[in-house]
Amino acid sequence: MYTNEDFLLDLLVDAGGVDRATIDSIRQSISPVDSVVEYLMKNGYLTGDYIAQVAAANSGLEFVDLGAFEVSPGILTAAKPELARRLNFLPIGDDGFSLQVAVVDPFDMEMMDSLPQFLGRDVSFFVAAPEAMLKALDKYYPKKIEVGKGTGDAPIIELVENMFNEAHEMRASDIHIEPMEDRVRLRYRIDGRLVEIANHPKKLLGPIVARLKVMSTTMSIAEKRLPQDGRIELDLRDGSHIDLRVSTVPSNHGESVVMRILDKSALALGLPQLGFLSDDEATFDRLVTLPDGVILVTGPTGSGKTTTLYAVLNHLNRPDKKIITAEDPVEYEMAGINQVMIRTEIGMTFAAALRAMLRQAPNIIMVGEIRDSETAGIAIQAAMTGHLVLSTLHTNDAPSSVARLADMGVDRFLIASAVRAIMAQRLCRSLCSCKIDGHVTEKQARVLGIDPARTVKVPNPRGCDRCRGKGMKGRLGIFEIFQVTDDVRGLINSNLTSAQLRKRARELGMRTLREDGIRKVLAGLTSAEEVIRVTTGDAS
């Protein structure tokens, strides 16, 4: 694998600082995980300043001697000490347009691309020598523990605590701890996109995973060969209380950990907060308040289906209604609702839970997901005996859910009779309030089906402190509502293919995901680029 260090060594050879034979000799004498560049510095072949100057010259950046001047205390406050130490950078100045930052590796593009987002500022980069950076960090941030460098428990505890607090501050939905061949990669999913945050020494993987397993209370530290699931509840520095769903999976380089941050603000969501435009909100409100029938929400993993179902339950949760849910797992506890945890290992499957729930005389049933023919059949029967059934399916669009149910063995005449509506959805990033006037480009217009000759004025992302320079903050849904009307029932019974059913549904007035996205671009809620990104499968 060709690394950043290999690239730097090639530059040093080209500059005449060292020859290839010396590099090959060093590689044979050191461990494969040790650094050749560090060896060159420690053994007097090259100085850190020389190496930094070569790197700067070949990256188009300026070299800075960190020992030659004092950094203003006001500049130092632009970055959290633990972040500066972890990513190995130092704020050194401010030219009025951007924050000036010294880095050691100008070829670490992932780190440099991420820094403006972390700091909430445009950033201009300078290159410093490694030993000068270490001395500067010790000088300017002396009171902070260098997380992860110690051998006891305290640094690991602090590292994990900082990770949780930082992820919450950055509005992350997931934390990914991924073992690589020679490092541990930390990434957060922010507004649907994974962002690399840090790389830790490989030796920290075991202590980090062990700490998380201890915090989850239900996971075994000794078991490293099998996947495990757990849950963590904790209070953060800002007083917030968060729950995390923890999953570990053994990989070829160690245990991989993914933690879903369960945002309890989802419990307070109603239909208006999901991102509907007024006409779709009125339609969906009417559908979910019907006395019986099946309402399905479809889309891939991470498209917000669960959030939508919780918002519907919150909307329907009244003293005169009995609501029961079957979930795997129960992510949020909702007052006034009977929630059943699916436990397949003891026979509590979705189908078994659904049968038991029907004996509890509910008005509304929510099934986390219809995964098999047995669950699908019972859900259909429940809907036809006077219950409102809410559930999800994994299909790309709304009409194809009919074929999915049919593939599970549900008769089409039962689908036509029981299903009231199917709604597909995706999540788009929202424009931050710093948005500026702009227009849809000619290329975007062609992709979106807008007349390219027409100038369409819409807001465009700009970037500010609130959105960490990205121009986008938060997410909203785009929707495709497929209502099962009398005309549609006939189409379902006529055994049309998914493509034919989708075409006829559009002719009858169904608005596609992309068409709803275009409306939200024109309303200034999201960007054309974002709608194109999340509806690539909806080009029709």
Side-chain angles (χ1 to χ4, degrees), residues 475-507:
R475 291 188 288 177
L476 79 159
I478 58 172
F479 307 99
E480 176 178 282
I481 302 176
F482 177 48
Q483 299 184 64
V484 183
T485 61
D486 290 339
D487 288 335
V488 171
R489 289 189 186 94
L491 297 175
I492 293 174
N493 285 321
S494 63
N495 212 28
L496 296 179
T497 66
S498 293
Q500 291 170 330
L501 185 58
R502 179 175 176 80
K503 181 180 178 182
R504 290 289 292 121
R506 293 193 64 193
E507 292 171 356

PDB file of all heavy atoms in Angstrom, residues 475-507:
ATOM      1  N   ARG A 475     -31.086  18.001   8.513  1.00  0.00           N
ATOM      2  CA  ARG A 475     -31.652  17.288   7.365  1.00  0.00           C
ATOM      3  C   ARG A 475     -33.176  17.392   7.361  1.00  0.00           C
ATOM      4  O   ARG A 475     -33.783  17.628   8.406  1.00  0.00           O
ATOM      5  CB  ARG A 475     -31.235  15.812   7.386  1.00  0.00           C
ATOM      6  CG  ARG A 475     -29.767  15.616   7.116  1.00  0.00           C
ATOM      7  CD  ARG A 475     -29.407  14.151   6.943  1.00  0.00           C
ATOM      8  NE  ARG A 475     -29.456  13.399   8.178  1.00  0.00           N
ATOM      9  CZ  ARG A 475     -29.240  12.091   8.268  1.00  0.00           C
ATOM     10  NH1 ARG A 475     -28.974  11.401   7.166  1.00  0.00           N
ATOM     11  NH2 ARG A 475     -29.292  11.474   9.425  1.00  0.00           N
ATOM     12  N   LEU A 476     -33.748  17.217   6.199  1.00  0.00           N
ATOM     13  CA  LEU A 476     -35.199  17.160   6.058  1.00  0.00           C
ATOM     14  C   LEU A 476     -35.549  16.041   5.096  1.00  0.00           C
ATOM     15  O   LEU A 476     -34.707  15.594   4.309  1.00  0.00           O
ATOM     16  CB  LEU A 476     -35.768  18.486   5.569  1.00  0.00           C
ATOM     17  CG  LEU A 476     -35.660  18.809   4.063  1.00  0.00           C
ATOM     18  CD1 LEU A 476     -36.686  19.851   3.692  1.00  0.00           C
ATOM     19  CD2 LEU A 476     -34.269  19.314   3.707  1.00  0.00           C
ATOM     20  N   GLY A 477     -36.786  15.585   5.152  1.00  0.00           N
ATOM     21  CA  GLY A 477     -37.206  14.486   4.302  1.00  0.00           C
ATOM     22  C   GLY A 477     -37.727  14.954   2.956  1.00  0.00           C
ATOM     23  O   GLY A 477     -38.251  16.059   2.810  1.00  0.00           O
ATOM     24  N   ILE A 478     -37.546  14.102   1.951  1.00  0.00           N
ATOM     25  CA  ILE A 478     -38.287  14.246   0.693  1.00  0.00           C
ATOM     26  C   ILE A 478     -39.104  12.964   0.545  1.00  0.00           C
ATOM     27  O   ILE A 478     -38.662  11.876   0.940  1.00  0.00           O
ATOM     28  CB  ILE A 478     -37.386  14.501  -0.525  1.00  0.00           C
ATOM     29  CG1 ILE A 478     -36.374  13.372  -0.715  1.00  0.00           C
ATOM     30  CG2 ILE A 478     -36.680  15.830  -0.389  1.00  0.00           C
ATOM     31  CD1 ILE A 478     -35.594  13.492  -2.013  1.00  0.00           C
ATOM     32  N   PHE A 479     -40.284  13.075  -0.023  1.00  0.00           N
ATOM     33  CA  PHE A 479     -41.265  11.996   0.092  1.00  0.00           C
ATOM     34  C   PHE A 479     -41.929  11.664  -1.242  1.00  0.00           C
ATOM     35  O   PHE A 479     -42.044  12.522  -2.126  1.00  0.00           O
ATOM     36  CB  PHE A 479     -42.347  12.386   1.111  1.00  0.00           C
ATOM     37  CG  PHE A 479     -41.801  12.802   2.442  1.00  0.00           C
ATOM     38  CD1 PHE A 479     -41.654  14.152   2.767  1.00  0.00           C
ATOM     39  CD2 PHE A 479     -41.414  11.844   3.365  1.00  0.00           C
ATOM     40  CE1 PHE A 479     -41.134  14.540   3.985  1.00  0.00           C
ATOM     41  CE2 PHE A 479     -40.897  12.224   4.597  1.00  0.00           C
ATOM     42  CZ  PHE A 479     -40.760  13.564   4.914  1.00  0.00           C
ATOM     43  N   GLU A 480     -42.358  10.404  -1.340  1.00  0.00           N
ATOM     44  CA  GLU A 480     -43.127   9.904  -2.481  1.00  0.00           C
ATOM     45  C   GLU A 480     -44.317   9.151  -1.891  1.00  0.00           C
ATOM     46  O   GLU A 480     -44.162   8.068  -1.338  1.00  0.00           O
ATOM     47  CB  GLU A 480     -42.242   8.977  -3.309  1.00  0.00           C
ATOM     48  CG  GLU A 480     -42.919   8.296  -4.475  1.00  0.00           C
ATOM     49  CD  GLU A 480     -41.936   7.433  -5.242  1.00  0.00           C
ATOM     50  OE1 GLU A 480     -41.146   7.991  -6.032  1.00  0.00           O
ATOM     51  OE2 GLU A 480     -41.928   6.198  -5.031  1.00  0.00           O
ATOM     52  N   ILE A 481     -45.502   9.755  -1.963  1.00  0.00           N
ATOM     53  CA  ILE A 481     -46.693   9.173  -1.329  1.00  0.00           C
ATOM     54  C   ILE A 481     -47.549   8.474  -2.386  1.00  0.00           C
ATOM     55  O   ILE A 481     -48.094   9.109  -3.289  1.00  0.00           O
ATOM     56  CB  ILE A 481     -47.509  10.260  -0.603  1.00  0.00           C
ATOM     57  CG1 ILE A 481     -46.653  10.958   0.448  1.00  0.00           C
ATOM     58  CG2 ILE A 481     -48.739   9.630   0.053  1.00  0.00           C
ATOM     59  CD1 ILE A 481     -47.353  12.112   1.146  1.00  0.00           C
ATOM     60  N   PHE A 482     -47.654   7.159  -2.240  1.00  0.00           N
ATOM     61  CA  PHE A 482     -48.416   6.313  -3.158  1.00  0.00           C
ATOM     62  C   PHE A 482     -49.713   5.915  -2.449  1.00  0.00           C
ATOM     63  O   PHE A 482     -49.727   5.046  -1.581  1.00  0.00           O
ATOM     64  CB  PHE A 482     -47.578   5.088  -3.508  1.00  0.00           C
ATOM     65  CG  PHE A 482     -48.254   4.077  -4.393  1.00  0.00           C
ATOM     66  CD1 PHE A 482     -48.911   4.457  -5.550  1.00  0.00           C
ATOM     67  CD2 PHE A 482     -48.203   2.721  -4.078  1.00  0.00           C
ATOM     68  CE1 PHE A 482     -49.518   3.519  -6.366  1.00  0.00           C
ATOM     69  CE2 PHE A 482     -48.804   1.770  -4.892  1.00  0.00           C
ATOM     70  CZ  PHE A 482     -49.464   2.178  -6.041  1.00  0.00           C
ATOM     71  N   GLN A 483     -50.808   6.591  -2.788  1.00  0.00           N
ATOM     72  CA  GLN A 483     -52.092   6.312  -2.156  1.00  0.00           C
ATOM     73  C   GLN A 483     -52.822   5.204  -2.899  1.00  0.00           C
ATOM     74  O   GLN A 483     -52.886   5.207  -4.134  1.00  0.00           O
ATOM     75  CB  GLN A 483     -52.962   7.577  -2.160  1.00  0.00           C
ATOM     76  CG  GLN A 483     -52.376   8.749  -1.399  1.00  0.00           C
ATOM     77  CD  GLN A 483     -53.329   9.919  -1.380  1.00  0.00           C
ATOM     78  OE1 GLN A 483     -54.421   9.840  -0.818  1.00  0.00           O
ATOM     79  NE2 GLN A 483     -52.924  11.025  -2.000  1.00  0.00           N
ATOM     80  N   VAL A 484     -53.362   4.248  -2.142  1.00  0.00           N
ATOM     81  CA  VAL A 484     -54.093   3.135  -2.755  1.00  0.00           C
ATOM     82  C   VAL A 484     -55.554   3.534  -2.879  1.00  0.00           C
ATOM     83  O   VAL A 484     -56.386   3.279  -2.013  1.00  0.00           O
ATOM     84  CB  VAL A 484     -53.920   1.843  -1.927  1.00  0.00           C
ATOM     85  CG1 VAL A 484     -54.632   0.680  -2.615  1.00  0.00           C
ATOM     86  CG2 VAL A 484     -52.438   1.514  -1.760  1.00  0.00           C
ATOM     87  N   THR A 485     -55.856   4.196  -3.977  1.00  0.00           N
ATOM     88  CA  THR A 485     -57.226   4.617  -4.294  1.00  0.00           C
ATOM     89  C   THR A 485     -57.939   3.487  -5.033  1.00  0.00           C
ATOM     90  O   THR A 485     -57.362   2.434  -5.305  1.00  0.00           O
ATOM     91  CB  THR A 485     -57.192   5.863  -5.182  1.00  0.00           C
ATOM     92  OG1 THR A 485     -56.513   5.527  -6.406  1.00  0.00           O
ATOM     93  CG2 THR A 485     -56.448   7.003  -4.494  1.00  0.00           C
ATOM     94  N   ASP A 486     -59.195   3.711  -5.377  1.00  0.00           N
ATOM     95  CA  ASP A 486     -59.948   2.697  -6.119  1.00  0.00           C
ATOM     96  C   ASP A 486     -59.259   2.358  -7.439  1.00  0.00           C
ATOM     97  O   ASP A 486     -59.186   1.183  -7.838  1.00  0.00           O
ATOM     98  CB  ASP A 486     -61.375   3.176  -6.375  1.00  0.00           C
ATOM     99  CG  ASP A 486     -62.211   3.216  -5.101  1.00  0.00           C
ATOM    100  OD1 ASP A 486     -61.834   2.514  -4.130  1.00  0.00           O
ATOM    101  OD2 ASP A 486     -63.222   3.935  -5.070  1.00  0.00           O
ATOM    102  N   ASP A 487     -58.762   3.392  -8.137  1.00  0.00           N
ATOM    103  CA  ASP A 487     -58.066   3.148  -9.405  1.00  0.00           C
ATOM    104  C   ASP A 487     -56.816   2.305  -9.185  1.00  0.00           C
ATOM    105  O   ASP A 487     -56.516   1.387  -9.959  1.00  0.00           O
ATOM    106  CB  ASP A 487     -57.680   4.478 -10.062  1.00  0.00           C
ATOM    107  CG  ASP A 487     -58.878   5.225 -10.617  1.00  0.00           C
ATOM    108  OD1 ASP A 487     -59.883   4.552 -10.917  1.00  0.00           O
ATOM    109  OD2 ASP A 487     -58.805   6.460 -10.740  1.00  0.00           O
ATOM    110  N   VAL A 488     -56.081   2.612  -8.127  1.00  0.00           N
ATOM    111  CA  VAL A 488     -54.834   1.890  -7.846  1.00  0.00           C
ATOM    112  C   VAL A 488     -55.123   0.446  -7.441  1.00  0.00           C
ATOM    113  O   VAL A 488     -54.367  -0.471  -7.795  1.00  0.00           O
ATOM    114  CB  VAL A 488     -54.022   2.617  -6.754  1.00  0.00           C
ATOM    115  CG1 VAL A 488     -52.838   1.774  -6.293  1.00  0.00           C
ATOM    116  CG2 VAL A 488     -53.544   3.980  -7.269  1.00  0.00           C
ATOM    117  N   ARG A 489     -56.208   0.208  -6.727  1.00  0.00           N
ATOM    118  CA  ARG A 489     -56.564  -1.168  -6.356  1.00  0.00           C
ATOM    119  C   ARG A 489     -56.724  -2.032  -7.600  1.00  0.00           C
ATOM    120  O   ARG A 489     -56.287  -3.190  -7.639  1.00  0.00           O
ATOM    121  CB  ARG A 489     -57.852  -1.183  -5.531  1.00  0.00           C
ATOM    122  CG  ARG A 489     -57.684  -0.633  -4.131  1.00  0.00           C
ATOM    123  CD  ARG A 489     -58.924  -0.850  -3.261  1.00  0.00           C
ATOM    124  NE  ARG A 489     -58.735  -0.179  -1.988  1.00  0.00           N
ATOM    125  CZ  ARG A 489     -59.140   1.044  -1.696  1.00  0.00           C
ATOM    126  NH1 ARG A 489     -59.815   1.735  -2.613  1.00  0.00           N
ATOM    127  NH2 ARG A 489     -58.896   1.575  -0.519  1.00  0.00           N
ATOM    128  N   GLY A 490     -57.349  -1.478  -8.614  1.00  0.00           N
ATOM    129  CA  GLY A 490     -57.501  -2.217  -9.862  1.00  0.00           C
ATOM    130  C   GLY A 490     -56.154  -2.520 -10.506  1.00  0.00           C
ATOM    131  O   GLY A 490     -55.949  -3.609 -11.050  1.00  0.00           O
ATOM    132  N   LEU A 491     -55.228  -1.569 -10.417  1.00  0.00           N
ATOM    133  CA  LEU A 491     -53.896  -1.769 -10.989  1.00  0.00           C
ATOM    134  C   LEU A 491     -53.144  -2.863 -10.241  1.00  0.00           C
ATOM    135  O   LEU A 491     -52.442  -3.682 -10.848  1.00  0.00           O
ATOM    136  CB  LEU A 491     -53.098  -0.460 -10.935  1.00  0.00           C
ATOM    137  CG  LEU A 491     -53.660   0.709 -11.747  1.00  0.00           C
ATOM    138  CD1 LEU A 491     -52.840   1.971 -11.499  1.00  0.00           C
ATOM    139  CD2 LEU A 491     -53.666   0.369 -13.247  1.00  0.00           C
ATOM    140  N   ILE A 492     -53.274  -2.862  -8.902  1.00  0.00           N
ATOM    141  CA  ILE A 492     -52.599  -3.897  -8.105  1.00  0.00           C
ATOM    142  C   ILE A 492     -53.142  -5.271  -8.449  1.00  0.00           C
ATOM    143  O   ILE A 492     -52.385  -6.241  -8.629  1.00  0.00           O
ATOM    144  CB  ILE A 492     -52.766  -3.604  -6.600  1.00  0.00           C
ATOM    145  CG1 ILE A 492     -52.010  -2.313  -6.214  1.00  0.00           C
ATOM    146  CG2 ILE A 492     -52.272  -4.782  -5.756  1.00  0.00           C
ATOM    147  CD1 ILE A 492     -52.246  -1.867  -4.783  1.00  0.00           C
ATOM    148  N   ASN A 493     -54.442  -5.370  -8.596  1.00  0.00           N
ATOM    149  CA  ASN A 493     -55.064  -6.661  -8.910  1.00  0.00           C
ATOM    150  C   ASN A 493     -54.771  -7.134 -10.325  1.00  0.00           C
ATOM    151  O   ASN A 493     -54.886  -8.326 -10.632  1.00  0.00           O
ATOM    152  CB  ASN A 493     -56.581  -6.583  -8.704  1.00  0.00           C
ATOM    153  CG  ASN A 493     -56.970  -6.597  -7.237  1.00  0.00           C
ATOM    154  OD1 ASN A 493     -56.368  -7.322  -6.455  1.00  0.00           O
ATOM    155  ND2 ASN A 493     -57.971  -5.811  -6.868  1.00  0.00           N
ATOM    156  N   SER A 494     -54.388  -6.199 -11.196  1.00  0.00           N
ATOM    157  CA  SER A 494     -54.137  -6.577 -12.594  1.00  0.00           C
ATOM    158  C   SER A 494     -52.736  -7.131 -12.818  1.00  0.00           C
ATOM    159  O   SER A 494     -52.336  -7.380 -13.952  1.00  0.00           O
ATOM    160  CB  SER A 494     -54.362  -5.378 -13.515  1.00  0.00           C
ATOM    161  OG  SER A 494     -53.443  -4.339 -13.212  1.00  0.00           O
ATOM    162  N   ASN A 495     -51.978  -7.283 -11.717  1.00  0.00           N
ATOM    163  CA  ASN A 495     -50.683  -7.969 -11.775  1.00  0.00           C
ATOM    164  C   ASN A 495     -49.645  -7.228 -12.617  1.00  0.00           C
ATOM    165  O   ASN A 495     -48.821  -7.833 -13.294  1.00  0.00           O
ATOM    166  CB  ASN A 495     -50.857  -9.395 -12.314  1.00  0.00           C
ATOM    167  CG  ASN A 495     -49.843 -10.349 -11.717  1.00  0.00           C
ATOM    168  OD1 ASN A 495     -49.382 -10.146 -10.601  1.00  0.00           O
ATOM    169  ND2 ASN A 495     -49.490 -11.386 -12.471  1.00  0.00           N
ATOM    170  N   LEU A 496     -49.657  -5.904 -12.571  1.00  0.00           N
ATOM    171  CA  LEU A 496     -48.655  -5.109 -13.282  1.00  0.00           C
ATOM    172  C   LEU A 496     -47.278  -5.286 -12.643  1.00  0.00           C
ATOM    173  O   LEU A 496     -47.166  -5.567 -11.453  1.00  0.00           O
ATOM    174  CB  LEU A 496     -49.031  -3.628 -13.249  1.00  0.00           C
ATOM    175  CG  LEU A 496     -50.320  -3.187 -13.941  1.00  0.00           C
ATOM    176  CD1 LEU A 496     -50.508  -1.681 -13.776  1.00  0.00           C
ATOM    177  CD2 LEU A 496     -50.294  -3.554 -15.417  1.00  0.00           C
ATOM    178  N   THR A 497     -46.231  -5.113 -13.444  1.00  0.00           N
ATOM    179  CA  THR A 497     -44.879  -5.099 -12.879  1.00  0.00           C
ATOM    180  C   THR A 497     -44.692  -3.823 -12.075  1.00  0.00           C
ATOM    181  O   THR A 497     -45.485  -2.866 -12.182  1.00  0.00           O
ATOM    182  CB  THR A 497     -43.823  -5.148 -13.991  1.00  0.00           C
ATOM    183  OG1 THR A 497     -43.905  -3.931 -14.759  1.00  0.00           O
ATOM    184  CG2 THR A 497     -44.038  -6.351 -14.900  1.00  0.00           C
ATOM    185  N   SER A 498     -43.612  -3.763 -11.298  1.00  0.00           N
ATOM    186  CA  SER A 498     -43.347  -2.572 -10.492  1.00  0.00           C
ATOM    187  C   SER A 498     -43.175  -1.339 -11.373  1.00  0.00           C
ATOM    188  O   SER A 498     -43.665  -0.246 -11.052  1.00  0.00           O
ATOM    189  CB  SER A 498     -42.095  -2.781  -9.629  1.00  0.00           C
ATOM    190  OG  SER A 498     -42.317  -3.766  -8.651  1.00  0.00           O
ATOM    191  N   ALA A 499     -42.471  -1.507 -12.505  1.00  0.00           N
ATOM    192  CA  ALA A 499     -42.255  -0.374 -13.417  1.00  0.00           C
ATOM    193  C   ALA A 499     -43.577   0.111 -14.008  1.00  0.00           C
ATOM    194  O   ALA A 499     -43.822   1.323 -14.119  1.00  0.00           O
ATOM    195  CB  ALA A 499     -41.279  -0.767 -14.518  1.00  0.00           C
ATOM    196  N   GLN A 500     -44.426  -0.826 -14.397  1.00  0.00           N
ATOM    197  CA  GLN A 500     -45.726  -0.448 -14.966  1.00  0.00           C
ATOM    198  C   GLN A 500     -46.614   0.225 -13.906  1.00  0.00           C
ATOM    199  O   GLN A 500     -47.290   1.214 -14.197  1.00  0.00           O
ATOM    200  CB  GLN A 500     -46.424  -1.688 -15.514  1.00  0.00           C
ATOM    201  CG  GLN A 500     -45.754  -2.284 -16.753  1.00  0.00           C
ATOM    202  CD  GLN A 500     -46.325  -3.636 -17.117  1.00  0.00           C
ATOM    203  OE1 GLN A 500     -46.776  -4.396 -16.240  1.00  0.00           O
ATOM    204  NE2 GLN A 500     -46.307  -3.966 -18.412  1.00  0.00           N
ATOM    205  N   LEU A 501     -46.575  -0.311 -12.691  1.00  0.00           N
ATOM    206  CA  LEU A 501     -47.380   0.265 -11.618  1.00  0.00           C
ATOM    207  C   LEU A 501     -46.892   1.669 -11.277  1.00  0.00           C
ATOM    208  O   LEU A 501     -47.700   2.584 -11.060  1.00  0.00           O
ATOM    209  CB  LEU A 501     -47.303  -0.634 -10.379  1.00  0.00           C
ATOM    210  CG  LEU A 501     -48.193  -0.243  -9.187  1.00  0.00           C
ATOM    211  CD1 LEU A 501     -49.661  -0.200  -9.596  1.00  0.00           C
ATOM    212  CD2 LEU A 501     -47.992  -1.222  -8.028  1.00  0.00           C
ATOM    213  N   ARG A 502     -45.581   1.854 -11.273  1.00  0.00           N
ATOM    214  CA  ARG A 502     -45.021   3.180 -10.989  1.00  0.00           C
ATOM    215  C   ARG A 502     -45.432   4.175 -12.075  1.00  0.00           C
ATOM    216  O   ARG A 502     -45.813   5.317 -11.777  1.00  0.00           O
ATOM    217  CB  ARG A 502     -43.497   3.090 -10.899  1.00  0.00           C
ATOM    218  CG  ARG A 502     -42.792   4.418 -10.623  1.00  0.00           C
ATOM    219  CD  ARG A 502     -41.294   4.184 -10.436  1.00  0.00           C
ATOM    220  NE  ARG A 502     -40.594   5.446 -10.268  1.00  0.00           N
ATOM    221  CZ  ARG A 502     -40.549   6.132  -9.123  1.00  0.00           C
ATOM    222  NH1 ARG A 502     -41.195   5.675  -8.063  1.00  0.00           N
ATOM    223  NH2 ARG A 502     -39.889   7.261  -9.041  1.00  0.00           N
ATOM    224  N   LYS A 503     -45.361   3.745 -13.333  1.00  0.00           N
ATOM    225  CA  LYS A 503     -45.750   4.634 -14.430  1.00  0.00           C
ATOM    226  C   LYS A 503     -47.206   5.048 -14.317  1.00  0.00           C
ATOM    227  O   LYS A 503     -47.546   6.236 -14.454  1.00  0.00           O
ATOM    228  CB  LYS A 503     -45.493   3.933 -15.759  1.00  0.00           C
ATOM    229  CG  LYS A 503     -45.852   4.782 -16.970  1.00  0.00           C
ATOM    230  CD  LYS A 503     -45.584   4.026 -18.273  1.00  0.00           C
ATOM    231  CE  LYS A 503     -45.985   4.870 -19.479  1.00  0.00           C
ATOM    232  NZ  LYS A 503     -45.772   4.124 -20.744  1.00  0.00           N
ATOM    233  N   ARG A 504     -48.093   4.087 -14.035  1.00  0.00           N
ATOM    234  CA  ARG A 504     -49.513   4.413 -13.931  1.00  0.00           C
ATOM    235  C   ARG A 504     -49.798   5.278 -12.700  1.00  0.00           C
ATOM    236  O   ARG A 504     -50.647   6.172 -12.743  1.00  0.00           O
ATOM    237  CB  ARG A 504     -50.336   3.119 -13.859  1.00  0.00           C
ATOM    238  CG  ARG A 504     -50.362   2.333 -15.146  1.00  0.00           C
ATOM    239  CD  ARG A 504     -51.206   3.033 -16.214  1.00  0.00           C
ATOM    240  NE  ARG A 504     -52.616   3.019 -15.857  1.00  0.00           N
ATOM    241  CZ  ARG A 504     -53.365   4.109 -15.686  1.00  0.00           C
ATOM    242  NH1 ARG A 504     -52.831   5.308 -15.829  1.00  0.00           N
ATOM    243  NH2 ARG A 504     -54.643   4.003 -15.366  1.00  0.00           N
ATOM    244  N   ALA A 505     -49.060   5.011 -11.597  1.00  0.00           N
ATOM    245  CA  ALA A 505     -49.245   5.829 -10.390  1.00  0.00           C
ATOM    246  C   ALA A 505     -48.878   7.286 -10.661  1.00  0.00           C
ATOM    247  O   ALA A 505     -49.557   8.213 -10.204  1.00  0.00           O
ATOM    248  CB  ALA A 505     -48.399   5.269  -9.253  1.00  0.00           C
ATOM    249  N   ARG A 506     -47.837   7.497 -11.431  1.00  0.00           N
ATOM    250  CA  ARG A 506     -47.444   8.873 -11.779  1.00  0.00           C
ATOM    251  C   ARG A 506     -48.510   9.531 -12.650  1.00  0.00           C
ATOM    252  O   ARG A 506     -48.802  10.716 -12.501  1.00  0.00           O
ATOM    253  CB  ARG A 506     -46.092   8.865 -12.494  1.00  0.00           C
ATOM    254  CG  ARG A 506     -44.927   8.443 -11.593  1.00  0.00           C
ATOM    255  CD  ARG A 506     -43.597   8.758 -12.242  1.00  0.00           C
ATOM    256  NE  ARG A 506     -43.442  10.207 -12.398  1.00  0.00           N
ATOM    257  CZ  ARG A 506     -42.508  10.772 -13.159  1.00  0.00           C
ATOM    258  NH1 ARG A 506     -41.685  10.024 -13.867  1.00  0.00           N
ATOM    259  NH2 ARG A 506     -42.424  12.089 -13.248  1.00  0.00           N
ATOM    260  N   GLU A 507     -49.057   8.753 -13.562  1.00  0.00           N
ATOM    261  CA  GLU A 507     -50.123   9.295 -14.405  1.00  0.00           C
ATOM    262  C   GLU A 507     -51.346   9.682 -13.584  1.00  0.00           C
ATOM    263  O   GLU A 507     -52.086  10.607 -13.932  1.00  0.00           O
ATOM    264  CB  GLU A 507     -50.506   8.267 -15.475  1.00  0.00           C
ATOM    265  CG  GLU A 507     -49.414   8.032 -16.515  1.00  0.00           C
ATOM    266  CD  GLU A 507     -49.727   6.859 -17.429  1.00  0.00           C
ATOM    267  OE1 GLU A 507     -50.758   6.188 -17.184  1.00  0.00           O
ATOM    268  OE2 GLU A 507     -48.949   6.594 -18.368  1.00  0.00           O
TER     269      GLU A 507
END
